[in-house]
């Protein structure tokens, strides 16, 4: 769904929806922040972490206060239009 389509569904509503990019896929996001857990679920929908799996999230093109960095479990970051998240799922072998 595009931002324009979201606006049509909520006429007269000042939409704060932005587009974020998670693992090269665009997603519409209507909240001011995104958590580690939300970003992970956008990258790997429905995936439950198994023993030995770890997740690393790096972001770039963020707000001026912190345009790039890491997102860790139980934390969130303010979002900005076209912000990019790289979510890596690794398994110890």
């Amino acid at each position: 769904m595009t931002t324009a389509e979201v606006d049509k569904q909520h006429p007269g509503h000042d939409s704060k929806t932005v587009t974020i990019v998670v693992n090269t896929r665009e997603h519409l996001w209507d909240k001011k922040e995104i958590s580690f857990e939300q970003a992970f679920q956008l990258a790997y929908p429905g995936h439950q972490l198994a023993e030995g799996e770890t997740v690393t999230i790096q972001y770039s093109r963020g707000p001026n206060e912190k345009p790039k960095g890491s997102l860790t479990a139980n934390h969130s970051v303010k979002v900005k239009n076209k912000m990019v998240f790289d979510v890596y799922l690794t398994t110890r072998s």
Side-chain angles (χ1 to χ4, degrees):
M1 182 179 295
T2 67
T3 303
E5 291 170 329
V6 170
D7 290 341
K8 285 180 185 176
Q9 289 182 348
H10 303 287
H13 181 264
D14 183 21
S15 176
K16 297 290 184 187
T17 301
V18 296
T19 300
I20 59 174
V21 180
V22 181
N23 288 2
T24 73
R25 292 190 185 102
E26 290 188 349
H27 297 272
L28 293 177
W29 195 254
D30 63 356
K31 297 171 183 64
K32 291 181 181 183
E33 295 186 343
I34 189 167
S35 70
F36 174 92
E37 292 76 15
Q38 290 168 321
F40 175 72
Q41 283 303 308
L42 287 176
Y44 298 95
H47 185 83
Q48 298 294 319
L49 288 178
E51 187 175 330
E53 289 183 324
T54 58
V55 177
T56 304
I57 301 178
Q58 301 288 324
Y59 66 87
S60 59
R61 299 185 183 176
N64 292 338
E65 313 84 71
K66 192 161 184 191
K68 63 181 181 176
S70 298
L71 189 54
T72 56
N74 301 312
H75 289 89
S76 60
V77 65
K78 289 182 183 178
V79 295
K80 178 181 167 187
N81 195 44
K82 297 295 183 181
M83 191 168 179
V84 176
F85 294 86
D86 294 308
V87 182
Y88 303 99
L89 177 63
T90 55
T91 306
R92 277 185 288 172
S93 52

